[in-house]
Amino acid sequence: AVSTNGKLRVATIWLDGCSGCHMSFLDIDENIARIANLVDIVYGPLVDFKEIPENIDVALIEGAVSNEEDREHALELRAKSKLVVAFGDCAVTGNVPSMRNWCGATAVLDRAYNENVDEQPGVPYQVVPGLLPTVLPLKEVIKVDFHLPGCPPSADLILETLKQLCAGRTPQLTSRFCFG
């Protein structure tokens, strides 16, 4: 449902990636005021809400799905959102995070927490979410309604996509499919 003030309820999240998509979102610059008149950001790293709310109109999900926590967040956002946008190349294809797929999760953890340390080797399993066997693009975990490509997507493309969604139109992204 659209919020009581008539604005689109938007959630964002950053899974396994570099946060470049959210940085590009902030690069909308002075147009952020125009977007603020159209949307309420109800969850994400740009706001201080701790719980994923119900009744989200659009979820922008940045990053690949590489661990159990990512998977749980993606599933919860899908369940609570009308539309899900794979936000950036990591969400669309797996991109850089999926480079670990060729060697496996165990080898990556061993390299990071045993081979490359001088003191106290060992994987801190109590704070590191359990890695999935392979890093997955978002569409392999949940239904994705739109793919917003780019590494990161340009601020102009993000702005245009949000404007189209706010107007109740389907964003025309097929001609924008260039990666990187």
Side-chain angles (χ1 to χ4, degrees):
V2 174
S3 62
T4 55
N5 60 9
K7 295 180 180 181
L8 206 63
R9 292 171 51 84
V10 175
T12 70
I13 195 166
W14 165 25
L15 303 179
D16 189 358
C18 69
S19 81
C21 297
H22 278 84
M23 297 305 292
S24 194
F25 185 99
L26 291 174
D27 282 344
I28 292 172
D29 296 329
E30 67 275 357
N31 286 313
I32 209 93
R34 286 180 43 205
I35 288 298
N37 291 326
L38 302 172
V39 305
D40 279 332
I41 299 179
V42 297
Y43 180 80
L46 305 176
V47 293
D48 196 29
F49 301 113
K50 305 297 184 210
E51 301 287 326
I52 297 174
E54 300 287 334
N55 301 316
I56 298 166
D57 293 310
V58 178
L60 297 171
I61 302 180
E62 172 184 358
V65 180
S66 68
N67 61 51
E68 290 296 331
E69 188 175 271
D70 292 344
R71 191 177 74 72
E72 289 169 15
H73 285 309
L75 290 168
E76 184 176 1
L77 276 163
R78 176 71 269 181
K80 294 180 175 182
S81 303
K82 290 179 186 173
L83 297 174
V84 169
V85 178
F87 185 26
D89 288 353
C90 292
V92 175
T93 67
N95 206 18
V96 173
S98 67
M99 290 173 64
R100 83 156 158 92
N101 290 349
W102 69 273
C103 62
T106 302
V108 168
L109 290 172
D110 189 48
R111 180 78 169 172
Y113 294 104
N114 291 315
E115 295 173 24
N116 287 337
V117 298
D118 293 327
E119 297 179 23
Q120 300 179 346
V123 179
Y125 288 107
Q126 66 278 11
V127 293
V128 173
L131 296 182
L132 298 175
T134 58
V135 175
L136 303 168
L138 192 59
K139 69 181 178 189
E140 291 188 27
V141 177
I142 61 172
K143 178 184 178 276
V144 170
D145 300 293
F146 300 104
H147 295 88
L148 185 57
C151 185
S154 71
D156 290 340
L157 182 57
I158 296 166
L159 177 63
E160 184 59 31
T161 300
L162 287 173
K163 286 178 8 186
Q164 294 294 319
L165 290 169
C166 288
R169 293 190 294 268
T170 299
Q172 297 303 312
L173 299 170
T174 53
S175 66
R176 307 288 190 128
F177 253 86
C178 60
F179 295 94

